Amino acid sequence: MSALAVSIRIAVDCMGGDHGIPVTVPSALSFLARTSDASLLLVGRGAEIERALPGALKGVDVVHADEVVEMHDPPATALRSKRASSMRLAINLIKEGRADVVVSAGNTGALMAISRFVLKTLDGIDRPAIAGPIPNQLGRVTTMLDLGANVDCTPEHLLQFAILGSALVAAVEEKEHPTVGLLNIGEELIKGNDIVKQAAELLRQSPLNFQGNVEGNDIYKATTDVVVCDGFVGNVALKTSEGVAQMLGGFLREEFKRDAVSRLMAVAAYPVLNRFRRRVDPRRYNGASLLGLRGLVLKSHGSADAVAFECAMQRGYEEARHRLIERTVAAMQPFVAQLEQLHGARPEATEQGA
Amino acid sequence: MSALAVSIRIAVDCMGGDHGIPVTVPSALSFLARTSDASLLLVGRGAEIERALPGALKGVDVVHADEVVEMHDPPATALRSKRASSMRLAINLIKEGRADVVVSAGNTGALMAISRFVLKTLDGIDRPAIAGPIPNQLGRVTTMLDLGANVDCTPEHLLQFAILGSALVAAVEEKEHPTVGLLNIGEELIKGNDIVKQAAELLRQSPLNFQGNVEGNDIYKATTDVVVCDGFVGNVALKTSEGVAQMLGGFLREEFKRDAVSRLMAVAAYPVLNRFRRRVDPRRYNGASLLGLRGLVLKSHGSADAVAFECAMQRGYEEARHRLIERTVAAMQPFVAQLEQLHGARPEATEQGA
């Protein structure tokens, strides 16, 4: 590749997550090795990062950060008292135009708070949301949001999430009119709460490809490309899913270890079981997007290993390569009237105030 | 058994569910055949039920009902316009003291509305809740409520659900102080919404064995015996779990059918795979309890087959045998002061008004 080719510059918060540098740096280098049009800004304790590098590498710069946001730091503390943290400096690189996307396995609350403070939200977006790829039975992913950033949402917030999720799928999966579902509960019961009912009304009035209510199992049935819900419900659904998958995986392992004959069967069926395991490997679905910001921020699971972290980097790279921010801004144009009407006379300046 | 032995009288709404009599009647008879101290009141279209019976049977009475609550009937319609439905008559049998428990695979909303209208709630309980047994990785069940009856809950409602769930586990599983968890979202995020925060405070002040917040995956980890949440979140968690389990089961089947060698492996590993399948068979966990009423009502999944319906009958039988209502009333005594304080000066008569 020529040096003039447009390169996707990825800022990596090397200190984030349960493992930090021993995972993030090798993972980032592995990603770089197979991605010709990417470059890395490795942010964190410079000396430690340098030691983890095999020497000076083309396309790799180290940005020193004195401080580290810990997993247990309250978001407000991380925001106010750790202005020299690797997380903060990595996000600053986006703001300064030196990076196209930041990837961090750090504290979600802090990442959201700092991103929002430094980058600000897009016009028309009140609150950023966390969107994650959920594996579905078609072997693809359903994009679900919010996964935990916003616990009390208005109908208008849910509409905004739908716009953001739809723009993400349109850009990265190159689908022209992604289908959108609103997470609700069963037909036979009282159909959802008032906020969800009102959100459905807003979605019906919007230019989105809204398919109506979906239920929890529809996420996995791939009924719609995007599933919208508030962050409390989304986070519970996500964690519940993890719990079920872990339990079932554990039961399957136990049955194949129960006795000598079963263990023999496990050896014999290894290729099949291994295909199954690879297919449902949660590491492949690592990487949630903080949407609605004026910059691309990818959140990796805190416990991610190098394989999982690399998936999050890949996702961030794809968003940057597909110019997600510009496309989201463009995608929001048809909603301007609807959002402005909902916002009432609120001056735009307030929203973007420093 | 002597005719004088106390028998558990089970009213079966034979018309409910996707299948009606062809499932409910054989299932009920199978249950009766292995349960010496039970008797059945089969409620529904008399002639059709009689035809499904192998003749007159000891311990089996048929109660004719002209009408049927359909799966799509709005609860209000079922309640007001179908007073001769099998569902209504079955619930009436509880009220009249002719049955100890009712089991129905019918329309959940209608079952809840009619049960509440006919049976009324227990003193101190504002709203009944739906509690379901969720299989956990210990091979037992976690009792989760509410699973969809109440979409907008106050902290006080969540406290009531906790009391009801705890009483259920104490009675049926014979645990003296069941542990209770409040479903919330991750440590690192803004910890839950205001209602959940306030509910946690009420639970901490209560005599319950409250263990604090739990997350979605804790349901399956068996972190607590009881998990409390509002009906919207509970229903989403339940349906999401079903979706994940179906997807994973489907993937496993697909991998074992991928090619001739894989299919051979499936045959060879059949005993192991079959043990796994039996272990995670959702039919074994069929049967949700409508709690907080002055009578025992069990809701079977609408799509239940005879095996699944029999599990719901078994659950209802256990609740009756363990005298769940009396034990719930007794279990509520320590909360009287707390609940009365929360209710303020509201006269009890209002709550029980016909």
Side-chain angles (χ1 to χ4, degrees), chain A residues 248-267:
Chain A
L248 295 180
F251 284 174
L252 193 62
R253 270 192 302 278
E254 278 173 36
E255 291 307 337
F256 270 108
K257 283 180 179 170
R258 189 171 288 278
D259 49 40
V261 175
S262 301
R263 282 193 293 272
L264 202 63
M265 283 302 112
V267 174

Side-chain angles (χ1 to χ4, degrees), chain A residues 29 77 92 106 117 129 142 186 190 197-198 202 204 223 250 291 295 319 351:
Chain A
L29 295 183
T77 308
N92 285 349
F117 179 79
T142 301
I190 319 113
K197 279 178 203 158
Q198 290 167 33
L202 292 182
R204 263 188 287 274
T223 306
L291 298 182
E319 291 182 6
E351 185 59 24

